[in-house]
Amino acid sequence: MALKVKAVEKNIKFDKDPSNPGVWRYVMQPELYTPLSQSKVIKEAALRSGVSRGVMQACWDAAGEVIKAWATEGHSVALPGLGTMRFGLRAKSVERVEDVKAGLISSRRIVFTPAQDLKEELKDAAIQITCYDRNGDEVKRVTSTDPGTIEDPEDETQNGSGSEGGNGSQNGGNNSGNTGGNTGGNTGGDDNGGYDDDDLDKG
């Protein structure tokens, strides 16, 4: 299995000054594959399991309803062969208990934690990078030799100090695009210096 990534030469500007010519950088991002429809997934699962498509559809629907119900009750729910899913919150912190209120919550989140087998498979997958210049022409192909480090949403040492959110510096690189910052940092802390309180649902 190989993951496909494209590095596209883009003009990066650090401000809105029209006189600033910006700088050209190769920005890496995963190539998006065609989304698979639910019916195609169910058909393939039915073929692999030997059960009828109707039975697989019923099982799929039932599993989805159970996962949704239990996750919204605060449970961390197993997704067979994939990992676990739970809901969490992104909220600001306050010093005084009198200031605690629902308005501190900025967003609700879905947190997915991959299973070890899935992480190992992703770690071992080769990454093929195709480079395109500013004119859209392919100029280079290379296979990545990165160490295969897998980001873990449960690992506080990766995501920031003392919270699951952190400041996004580990997760995505900077916004200049030098390290593909347009796809990173999306699990960082909120803009107001708050922290993630989604450990509340761990019990």
Side-chain angles (χ1 to χ4, degrees), residues 136-155:
D137 297 326
E138 181 180 325
V139 294
K140 183 180 178 180
R141 288 194 180 189
V142 63
T143 299
S144 173
T145 57
D146 69 288
T149 302
I150 306 298
E151 181 178 303
D152 189 344
E154 302 291 346
D155 188 348

Side-chain angles (χ1 to χ4, degrees), residues 41-53 55-56 59:
V41 175
I42 290 174
K43 180 180 179 180
E44 182 66 22
L47 289 173
R48 296 191 182 197
S49 63
V51 303
S52 70
R53 189 169 176 176
V55 171
M56 182 58 65
C59 293

